[in-house]
């Protein structure tokens, strides 16, 4: 009601103000040209003008009050809208937690999952090779090993960054890492590493006791690998020994023992593969490594990198063929080995070791190598028949037990 009243007054003011102003102007003009009137008429005119002036003052006062009321209402409404537009406390808390966890996500390299894939594939190969003829691999084991690969790869990155925090700060590609840039303190990283290793142990104890012992024995390689670049030009060899431990562990987890006829050539093939892809990776940092004094196979091989990598590729393919033969693999497996070989040959001979972007691209493409071989193992195992497997076993047993006794002649007796 108050607002309607002021609105009416404002409307009347808009109607009367021009009229009054015009009347006042006309009166003033007439006063200039008209002769003087008697004093009584002048007093009446002055009284009328004073009344109009008071009316104008009242209208101005009402308009000022109405404008003040409008400003107050606008301020209150904007304040209430601001309060409604503010995010809830829960949303801001989630945002703060997300910002706090980002450095740890980067420390684990979860934003770069290629390392997890490369750690998992040897495990997947071994689990798939150990499956019975005509059967799928154990999906429960694949899930456990995939989880373990994610956790232990993150733990390995944390250990690596703890050792190399001073070196990483001097390398262009790694200076933004959480420890090197100061986003995480050394103490926080150690506490986080303890949590990672505890989760890794939780996954490991889901396996049989032989696998627990075998898995725990790889921890020494995980811890010492980052130091190898300070003492030898072959840190990639140590990394290969560490990253392909799953080729032994996967078979042990499903069978309770390690079949060296299959697992040893598979493990050595994986080591050769790691030397290939990590040498390509190391070429990204070779200039910084030279200045700092860090060693790698990229510096060891130099301009002969392609020849060296070709040799390791040939050794890898030989080992995979031997592992397939030991497991009675079928055509899909050997076809996959051929595709893997073609992929690596194309990768090596199109590599530009002086172009970091090309090196990174070739390194990441090795995820496809692992996937192709895994699919070949699965398809090859599905096509295996029990008859073929039994025939292979019987032929091996027959060869081992074949023995033809020679007739023994009686010695001549000299009388």
């Amino acid at each position: 009601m108050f607002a309607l009243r002021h609105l009416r007054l404002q409307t009347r003011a808009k109607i009367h103000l021009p009229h009054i102003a015009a009347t006042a102007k006309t009166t003033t003009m007439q006063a200039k040209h008209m002769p003087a009137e008697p004093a009584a008429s002048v007093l009446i005119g002055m009284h009328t003008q004073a009344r109009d002036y008071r009316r104008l003052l009242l209208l101005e006062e009402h308009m000022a009050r109405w404008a003040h009321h409008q400003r107050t209402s606008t301020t209150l409404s904007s304040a209430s809208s601001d309060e409604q537009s503010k995010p809830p406390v829960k949303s801001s808390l989630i945002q703060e937690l997300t910002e706090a966890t980002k450095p740890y996500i980067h420390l684990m390299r979860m934003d770069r999952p290629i390392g997890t894939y490369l750690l998992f594939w040897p495990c997947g190969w071994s689990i798939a090779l150990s499956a019975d003829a005509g059967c799928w691999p154990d999906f429960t084991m694949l899930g456990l090993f995939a989880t373990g690969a994610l956790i232990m790869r993150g733990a390995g990155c944390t250990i690596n960054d703890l050792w190399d925090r001073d070196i990483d700060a001097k390398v262009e590609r790694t200076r933004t890492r959480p420890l090197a840039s100061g986003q995480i303190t050394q103490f926080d990283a150690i506490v986080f590493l303890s949590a990672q290793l505890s989760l890794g142990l939780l996954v490991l104890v889901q396996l049989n006791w032989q696998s627990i012992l075998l898995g725990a024995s790889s921890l020494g390689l995980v811890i010492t690998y980052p130091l190898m670049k300070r003492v030898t030009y072959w840190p990639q060899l140590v990394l290969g020994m560490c990253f392909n431990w799953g080729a032994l562990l996967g078979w042990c987890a499903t069978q309770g023992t390690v079949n060296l006829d299959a697992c040893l050539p598979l493990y050595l093939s994986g080591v050769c593969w790691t030397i290939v892809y990590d040498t390509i990776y190391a070429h990204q940092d070779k200039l910084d490594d030279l200045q700092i004094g860090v060693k790698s196979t990229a510096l060891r091989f130099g301009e002969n990198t392609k020849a060296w990598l070709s040799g390791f590729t040939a050794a890898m393919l030989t080992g995979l063929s031997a592992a397939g033969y030991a497991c009675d693999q079928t055509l899909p497996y050997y076809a996959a080995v051929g595709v893997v070989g073609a992929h690596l040959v194309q990768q090596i001979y199109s590599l530009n070791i002086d172009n970091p972007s090309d090196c990174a691209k070739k390194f990441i493409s090795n995820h496809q190598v692992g996937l192709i071989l895994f699919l070949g193992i699965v398809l090859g195992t599905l096509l295996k028949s029990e008859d073929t497997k039994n025939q292979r076993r019987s032929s091996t047993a027959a060869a081992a037990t074949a023995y033809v006794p020679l007739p023994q002649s009686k010695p001549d007796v000299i009388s």
Side-chain angles (χ1 to χ4, degrees):
M1 294 296 293
F2 184 74
L4 290 174
R5 179 182 175 190
H6 285 292
L7 186 59
R8 290 184 191 134
L9 289 173
Q10 184 181 10
T11 307
R12 288 177 184 174
K14 289 181 179 178
I15 295 173
H16 290 292
L17 281 174
H19 175 70
I20 294 171
T23 304
K25 184 177 181 181
T26 305
T27 305
T28 306
M29 294 294 293
Q30 288 178 354
K32 288 181 180 179
H33 299 288
M34 290 180 65
E37 293 184 357
S41 300
V42 172
L43 288 173
I44 293 171
M46 291 176 63
H47 176 72
T48 303
Q49 290 180 3
R51 185 179 60 191
D52 292 340
Y53 181 69
R54 285 195 299 271
R55 185 182 297 171
L56 283 173
L57 290 177
L58 288 173
L59 284 173
E60 288 179 358
E61 183 180 354
H62 285 302
M63 289 175 65
R65 290 178 181 176
W66 182 80
H68 176 70
H69 175 71
Q70 287 294 104
R71 287 195 299 271
T72 306
S73 301
T74 304
T75 304
L76 291 174
S77 62
S78 63
S80 62
S81 64
D82 289 342
E83 290 179 359
Q84 292 177 357
S85 63
K86 285 182 179 179
V89 177
K90 185 178 179 180
S91 177
S92 62
L93 180 61
I94 293 174
Q95 186 176 1
E96 290 178 4
L97 288 175
T98 303
E99 291 296 325
T101 56
K102 273 185 179 180
Y104 296 95
I105 292 174
H106 293 157
L107 183 64
M108 290 181 65
R109 314 283 200 277
M110 289 187 68
D111 54 329
R112 298 179 181 178
I114 179 62
T116 302
Y117 300 150
L118 296 176
L119 181 60
F120 167 74
W121 285 128
C123 308
W125 299 343
S126 185
I127 293 171
L129 278 174
S130 67
D132 292 332
C135 297
W136 292 92
D138 190 333
F139 291 104
T140 302
M141 283 297 171
L142 289 174
L144 280 174
F145 275 80
T147 305
L150 176 65
I151 295 171
M152 292 309 297
R153 188 261 179 154
C157 291
T158 304
I159 293 171
N160 183 80
D161 288 5
L162 281 169
W163 284 116
D164 292 349
R165 61 186 183 278
D166 296 331
I167 294 176
D168 288 343
K170 301 174 184 178
V171 178
E172 181 65 28
R173 186 179 56 84
T174 60
R175 64 180 53 179
T176 59
R177 288 178 177 175
L179 273 167
S181 60
Q183 300 175 50
I184 296 176
T185 65
Q186 183 177 356
F187 176 77
D188 291 339
I190 293 173
V191 172
F192 184 60
L193 175 62
S194 302
Q196 289 174 296
L197 294 177
S198 299
L199 290 175
L201 179 61
L202 185 62
V203 174
L204 186 62
V205 296
Q206 307 303 313
L207 309 179
N208 52 53
W209 67 267
Q210 296 95 332
S211 301
I212 294 174
L213 294 176
L214 184 61
S217 64
S218 67
L219 194 59
L221 290 172
V222 175
I223 295 173
T224 57
Y225 155 68
L227 298 175
M228 293 298 106
K229 66 185 72 174
R230 295 168 171 82
V231 297
T232 179
Y233 281 100
W234 293 89
Q236 280 70 25
L237 174 62
V238 182
L239 178 66
M241 295 168 63
C242 177
F243 250 53
N244 293 277
W245 203 257
L248 307 174
L249 188 59
W251 193 292
C252 185
T254 57
Q255 303 298 325
T257 184
V258 178
N259 181 358
L260 292 179
D261 291 341
C263 293
L264 186 59
L266 183 67
Y267 177 69
L268 295 177
S269 297
V271 172
C272 293
W273 181 44
T274 302
I275 293 174
V276 170
Y277 66 66
D278 206 59
T279 299
I280 295 174
Y281 184 81
H283 271 287
Q284 297 178 92
D285 304 326
K286 59 185 177 182
L287 296 179
D288 291 323
D289 291 346
L290 279 172
Q291 294 178 356
I292 299 170
V294 173
K295 301 176 177 64
S296 70
T297 50
L299 297 177
R300 173 65 180 84
F301 299 160
E303 296 299 323
N304 297 320
T305 292
K306 292 186 178 183
W308 278 94
L309 297 188
S310 299
F312 282 111
T313 299
M316 174 188 177
L317 298 177
T318 302
L320 291 177
S321 299
Y325 179 77
C327 296
D328 300 312
Q329 276 294 334
T330 55
L331 182 61
Y333 173 81
Y334 294 104
V337 171
V339 174
V340 165
H343 189 292
L344 290 173
V345 168
Q346 187 275 335
Q347 189 181 135
I348 292 169
Y349 285 94
S350 64
L351 173 67
N352 182 357
I353 60 174
D354 296 320
N355 185 347
S357 299
D358 186 60
C359 292
K361 182 179 178 182
K362 296 296 192 303
F363 167 73
I364 293 173
S365 70
N366 279 277
H367 167 51
Q368 301 169 7
V369 172
L371 177 61
I372 291 168
L373 185 59
F374 177 76
L375 294 177
I377 295 172
V378 172
L379 293 176
T381 303
L382 289 174
L383 290 181
K384 285 196 300 185
S385 64
E386 281 293 339
D387 294 338
T388 305
K389 190 173 182 180
N390 293 333
Q391 183 180 0
R392 172 74 176 170
R393 286 178 177 174
S394 61
S395 63
T396 304
T401 58
Y403 172 72
V404 179
L406 295 174
Q408 295 182 356
S409 58
K410 294 181 179 181
D412 295 333
V413 178
I414 301 175
S415 57

